[in-house]
Amino acid sequence: MNADQHPIGVTPAAPKPDATPILRIRAVMLGERINPSGLEIGAAVSSTPAAFRVHAGLAVIFRYGVVVLIGLLPSEEKVLLDSLKSRVTGELSPIEEETAQAQLCKDENAEAIQPGGPICLARFSDERLLLIADALAKSTSLARDERRVAAVFDVIEPFARELAEKGRTSRRRKGILQLIGNALLVQQRVAGRVAVAEKPDALWEKPQLDRLYARLEDEYELKERLDTLERKLTVIAETADALTDIIDTQRSLRLEIAVVVLIVIEVAIGCFQIFTGTH
């Protein structure tokens, strides 16, 4: 079924005959990953990302943990999300989510995104809706990563202040390693799973929609947020290197102290034997 001829999930904004149709879009991040392999929840619309026609709307599933629900009723959304929980790895609590609205405009040249308002589309075609789903899913995932990076910085700040004021840290090796691990997890997710900078596959088939996607990127500030996140990750990576050096230095110092103590004990035993005549 072609969505150009059969709009999906349209909810009239008012009972008037000439009212502009409104489409509700909701992106929900359920966990670190979702496995869509073998999933059958409706007629397939796309394979990458996995998209299905469900009831009168669309469900778009991204492997990096985000589900975008388009034109579904709240009750239908709940049933669908509950059915996906068994496929989720690293379930989040609470979930991360963002919402948007799309409405029809008179012609393709009028497609635009009103500041803080709905996304104006020439038609509710599958390709356009997949582009919106891609941008909204990336924005939702970025919001989660921004929160995680902020949490890492909250840990780094008092640690750096302690080093600056005292020249040492009371933090144990386990805590330092956990900080490094959190930094590496965020780096791996941003660089490997989400691929925010990559354009969606729908643009390869419909390059004329590139302008629409560029507007979506600007609306959700995907590139700017990614650049900011990468700069913060660079700082975290440099901090992790410094922490690793501190760990190595502390271990080397303890080893040197142990060697010195053993030498002192050996000398003391030798001296004792000489003085007591038992050597």
Side-chain angles (χ1 to χ4, degrees):
M1 182 185 299
N2 192 328
D4 288 0
Q5 285 74 40
H6 302 277
I8 62 170
V10 175
T11 303
K16 299 178 181 179
D18 58 346
T20 303
I22 298 292
L23 199 61
R24 179 174 177 269
I25 305 170
R26 180 189 179 203
V28 181
M29 186 172 186
L30 297 177
E32 297 296 330
R33 291 189 70 84
I34 297 178
N35 179 18
S37 299
L39 186 62
E40 296 181 0
I41 55 176
V45 174
S46 168
S47 58
T48 308
F52 303 90
R53 200 173 302 282
V54 180
H55 300 293
L58 287 180
V60 189
I61 302 169
F62 295 86
R63 290 184 178 274
Y64 51 83
V66 180
V67 180
V68 180
L69 307 165
I70 304 174
L72 296 179
L73 298 174
S75 58
E76 296 170 342
E77 292 178 350
K78 185 179 185 307
V79 172
L80 179 58
L81 294 177
D82 288 342
S83 69
L84 293 174
K85 285 185 178 181
S86 62
R87 294 175 171 266
V88 175
T89 302
E91 186 174 348
L92 299 183
S93 180
I95 60 175
E96 191 81 37
E97 67 176 291
E98 290 190 30
T99 59
Q101 287 186 332
Q103 69 178 30
L104 292 177
C105 52
K106 294 182 179 180
D107 59 77
E108 189 167 337
N109 294 328
E111 287 189 327
I113 303 175
Q114 305 297 329
I119 303 168
C120 189
L121 301 176
R123 60 187 64 86
F124 291 153
S125 64
D126 290 342
E127 293 82 8
R128 286 173 170 79
L129 296 178
L130 286 174
L131 292 183
I132 295 175
D134 183 270
L136 196 60
K138 288 175 178 176
S139 178
T140 306
S141 182
L142 278 174
R144 167 69 175 173
D145 292 331
E146 288 165 347
R147 221 181 305 279
R148 293 183 67 178
V149 168
V152 174
F153 268 94
D154 289 341
V155 177
I156 289 177
E157 184 179 359
F159 173 78
R161 185 182 296 111
E162 186 179 23
L163 282 178
E165 294 176 353
K166 301 180 180 178
R168 57 184 176 83
T169 176
S170 59
R171 187 177 298 275
R172 295 183 178 181
R173 184 170 179 268
K174 180 180 178 181
I176 296 176
L177 290 175
Q178 286 176 331
L179 176 59
I180 295 173
N182 286 331
L184 294 176
L185 281 174
V186 175
Q187 279 185 307
Q188 187 268 342
R189 176 177 173 81
V190 174
R193 294 185 186 175
V194 183
V196 175
E198 294 183 6
K199 292 188 175 182
D201 290 350
L203 286 181
W204 293 101
E205 300 177 0
K206 298 284 185 177
Q208 65 270 27
L209 297 179
D210 189 74
R211 181 182 298 179
L212 172 61
Y213 189 72
R215 290 170 177 168
L216 289 168
E217 283 185 318
D218 290 340
E219 171 66 16
Y220 293 106
E221 300 179 333
L222 297 182
K223 293 181 179 179
E224 293 80 359
R225 291 165 68 188
L226 178 62
D227 290 341
T228 301
L229 196 58
E230 287 179 339
R231 285 196 296 270
K232 290 182 178 181
L233 287 173
T234 299
V235 173
I236 292 175
E238 292 173 351
T239 304
D241 290 338
L243 296 179
T244 303
D245 292 339
I246 290 174
I247 292 175
D248 293 340
T249 301
Q250 290 176 340
R251 294 182 66 182
S252 298
L253 180 61
R254 286 195 295 268
L255 182 60
E256 291 173 1
I257 292 175
V259 171
V260 171
V261 170
L262 289 175
I263 293 174
V264 170
I265 292 175
E266 182 68 23
V267 171
I269 292 174
C271 293
F272 177 77
Q273 291 174 339
I274 290 174
F275 289 135
T276 58
T278 59
H279 184 64

